[in-house]
Amino acid sequence: MRVALFVTCINDALRPRTGRAVVTLLERLGVAVDFPAEQTCCGQPQFNTGYRHATEPLVRRFDRAFRDYEYVVTPSGSCTAMVRDNYPRIGAKAAAEGRGPELTGIAAAAVPKTYELTEFLVDVLKVTDVGAYYPHTVTYHPTCHGLRMLGLGDRPRRLLEQVEGLELRELPGAEECCGFGGTFAVKNPAVSAAMGADKVRNVTATGAEAVCTVDNSCLLHIGGSLSRQGSPVRPVHIAEILASTEADAQAPVEADTKAPAASGTEGSPR
Amino acid sequence: MSVTYLGMPAFPEAAAASTRDPRLRANLTHATHTIRDKRAKAVTELADWGRLRAAGAAVKDRTLRHLDHYLEQLEAAVTDAGGQVHWAADAVEANRIVTRLVRATGETEVVKVKSMATQEIGLNEALAEAGIHAYETDLAELIVQLGDDLPSHILVPAIHRDRAEIRDIFRREMGHWGRPAPEGLSDSPAELAEAARLHLREKFLSAKVGISGANFMVAESGTLVVVESEGNGRMCLTLPETLISVVGIEKVVPTWRDLEVFLQLLPRSSTAERMNPYTSTWTGTTDGDGPRTFHLVLLDNGRTDTLADTVGRQALRCIRCSACLNVCPVYERAGGHAYGSPYPGPIGAILTPQLRGVEGSLEASLPYASSLCGACYEVCPVAIDIPEVLVHLRERVVEGGPVTRGGVRTVLKSAKGHAAERAAMRAAGWVFGHPRALRAGMRLTSRTRRLHPRRLPGPGRAWSDTRDLPAVPAESFRDWWRRTRGTSSGSKQRGDGE
């Protein structure tokens, strides 16, 4: 089975360790992973802010990057939802405007093969025990797009429940939005911050060491609020938990902020 | 649209003020969480809720597609039953018609049934200008009117007030409007309700003119329907000599069979009741029973223009249950007033900019008053995809495009004031269109990450005021892949599938 990883722009630039975790996890499960370098962004920020026309080249780019693959796997509920719900809309609207007749076909091809990571694990690979070990207390925040647009249901929980050493803590008000909402966080900062504060209060109330989601965008917002409050709760993407093994538990926490060991001249200033 | 709310600040400013009011936040959170939990329970009692919801959406869509036909059928049926039908293109015309009708009776006082349509057109204010006093008889509307306040919820207009505030308003204001509040009135719900009952009874018994809206109009029989919880509406609908009903044209349903679907959907969605307590239906006039004169004012006020929009028209399915308000995390924190119209919450965020146009700054800000979390769509009993319409309207705000205004097809220019955002989106689009440039940009960001400010300037400040920025990693995923797997996107594994 050959799978293309759509790592998403936020993971690529800001949380690369999530992408690395997906590669580790899938390869451990016997899946060959490709990373087509042609890929960039799904277009969600532009689309949701009202710049639909600006998303059309990105839909075409998605197609160029992934057309040769049977499966596209994404560690992001909202980027998967963008492809699944909005690519067909972009195609239909373009067709109605008499432009980009190929967009409808692109959408039709992309929708059935694009999977959010936990969907892919449970529905395609049919596994819930991925052999992970994570000796921590964790609370799970179901992100809105994963929950409502994709209908992930209990897939992430079923995966987490099989992780050895992991204790899952119930999150009060779990299904309420964290307040990120892409550009909403910038356009309505007061309401976004108020929503974030309530979410963080609920996360903290669980007493868990880590809060996990299927989406790093929400996690950046929740993590940013936790960090500002000096909270010790760690924001962790579910892929990183599922990729963890006993060996990782012994090793010190790998940080993205450390320069790569063999980066040569590309090393960052220390 | 409404006279009352014009000149409101754009949503973000109004909402920011509300988030700093702890009493308002506490009242709203308590009320919305209570009702949303009850609704969820009431809905899960029905095994066929999903099918009912689909039926509701289908009936509304079919009716809207043939709206002209059903409205003409309704007009004929109402006229046959002894009523008179008036058509109002906008708020000004509707107010003029109602004012003329009230004046013709020689009365200067009217009692009102809670009605969103009359809020929308600012009828009370228009009547006041003509020297006619309109008394709200719905308990929550009474609280709002006595408090010289604005409604902040579709179903519970005084949701932002707690018992102590209501007691103070009653004590202070009731005497100016009629029967004063009883001596020593406490804030117990029973005492407050009794005070309102005594105060309102005088109005019901003396009023010669009643004004209402309607939740539904049945085309086949010319019947109007009001669904309410208190029975005050029924008093206004039966006691006065003249009844004037102002109703949006989208409220028509073809038959009583269709009505049956909505009489199941509405109470469970709005008040979490299995059956509605007071459902009043009236058809024209009947000798010796109820009002002797009945007028129906059919209100357009932007609805036909909304109907012309193939994506946005689903907003006209709305049956004003307010389930979307009660689950909306943005409404819960911003409160109803921030939406600047009688239609707050998610439905208001899509309805108001369509009825009024998106050219005003408040109207242009409303489609952005959502995190697109989708909770509103999930609970909507007629399956209005509110997030879809929000994004559709955002496009109208920033990029312009074809719209219908006053029945005329026109093309809106892209909005001013989004130049910086548009430039940023364009730049991002270019970078995302060139993976090599994206990689170079990521490298530059990584290398300079020690120099990044902790607080951002400009629009980004809003983020860094309350949240820490994410630390930029030393190496992007892209570069890690190249470094560890080689330059050609994992080609070493290509073709070696299972």
Side-chain angles (χ1 to χ4, degrees), chain B residues 13 49 186 212 238 279 296 308 312 315 336 347 351 376 389 403 472 478:
Chain B
E13 290 88 65
W49 184 256
S186 82
S212 82
T238 50
T279 303
L296 170 60
I347 187 64
L351 199 54
C376 49
V389 181
V403 290
V472 174
R478 201 168 285 269

Side-chain angles (χ1 to χ4, degrees), chain B residues 464-485:
Chain B
S464 56
D465 275 353
T466 54
R467 287 151 288 208
D468 282 345
L469 292 167
V472 174
E475 187 183 42
S476 69
F477 178 84
R478 201 168 285 269
D479 276 347
W480 172 81
W481 182 272
R482 249 167 101 94
R483 181 165 62 76
T484 58
R485 308 289 173 116

Side-chain angles (χ1 to χ4, degrees), chain B residues 264-292:
Chain B
Q264 293 183 72
L265 287 171
L266 182 54
R268 286 185 198 256
S269 299
S270 60
T271 50
E273 285 165 310
R274 294 172 180 143
M275 191 179 166
N276 187 65
Y278 293 88
T279 303
S280 304
T281 67
W282 66 103
T283 311
T285 54
T286 309
D287 284 338
D289 182 19
R292 263 158 280 169

Side-chain angles (χ1 to χ4, degrees), chain B residues 12 31 52 64 116 120 159 242 265 267 307 319 411 423 448 468 493:
Chain B
L52 266 176
L64 289 168
M116 299 308 294
E120 176 188 322
I159 195 169
T242 302
L265 287 171
L307 192 57
I319 55 173
V411 176
T448 57
D468 282 345
Q493 287 172 335

Side-chain angles (χ1 to χ4, degrees), chain A residues 1-2 5 7 9 11-16 19-20 23 27 32-41 45-54 58 61 68-69 89 93 97 144-145 148 175-177 179-181 183-195 198 220-221 224-225 227-228 256-263 265-270, chain B residues 11-12 15-16 19 25 33 36 311 329-330 332-334 365 368-375 378 385 388 391-392 394-395 398-399 418 421-422 425 428-429 431-435 438 442-443 446-447 449-450 454-455 459-460 462-468 470-481 483 485 487 489-491 493-498:
Chain A
M1 179 182 289
R2 203 175 82 227
L5 168 63
V7 82
C9 56
N11 290 326
D12 192 358
L14 296 174
R15 292 282 288 199
R20 298 203 294 269
V23 174
E27 288 182 347
V33 182
D34 270 6
F35 176 74
E38 280 264 301
Q39 64 176 278
T40 55
C41 168
Q46 296 86 346
F47 185 81
N48 280 354
T49 316
Y51 298 90
R52 170 173 56 91
H53 293 104
L58 299 175
R61 171 155 296 284
D68 291 340
Y69 294 90
R89 278 183 187 143
K93 279 193 164 184
E97 290 169 3
C144 298
H145 289 177
R148 301 196 182 88
E175 299 193 351
E176 284 165 34
C177 177
F180 173 60
T183 47
F184 173 75
V186 176
K187 285 182 178 286
N188 281 286
V191 178
S192 168
M195 289 162 70
D198 290 345
L220 287 173
H221 168 75
S225 305
S227 160
R228 177 62 57 92
D256 279 327
T257 43
K258 273 193 194 152
S263 58
T265 53
E266 290 177 11
S268 62
R270 282 166 196 262
Chain B
F11 184 84
T19 60
R25 292 248 332 249
H33 281 251
R36 85 168 65 153
V311 176
V330 177
E332 182 187 331
R333 281 139 189 116
S365 72
Y368 292 95
S370 166
S371 63
L372 305 180
C373 81
E378 193 174 57
D385 191 341
E388 180 191 22
V391 171
H392 175 72
R394 289 175 185 191
E395 181 186 332
V398 295
E399 293 195 334
H418 285 78
E421 181 182 276
R422 196 173 296 118
M425 288 292 173
V431 173
F432 287 136
H434 297 79
L438 176 62
M442 283 180 184
R443 277 205 188 141
S446 286
R447 283 188 203 166
R449 63 201 174 89
R450 299 285 152 100
R454 289 211 47 207
R455 306 256 162 151
W463 176 278
S464 56
D465 275 353
T466 54
R467 287 151 288 208
D468 282 345
V472 174
E475 187 183 42
S476 69
F477 178 84
R478 201 168 285 269
D479 276 347
W480 172 81
W481 182 272
R483 181 165 62 76
R485 308 289 173 116
T487 48
S489 63
S491 56
Q493 287 172 335
R494 282 212 182 187
D496 64 0
E498 296 174 304

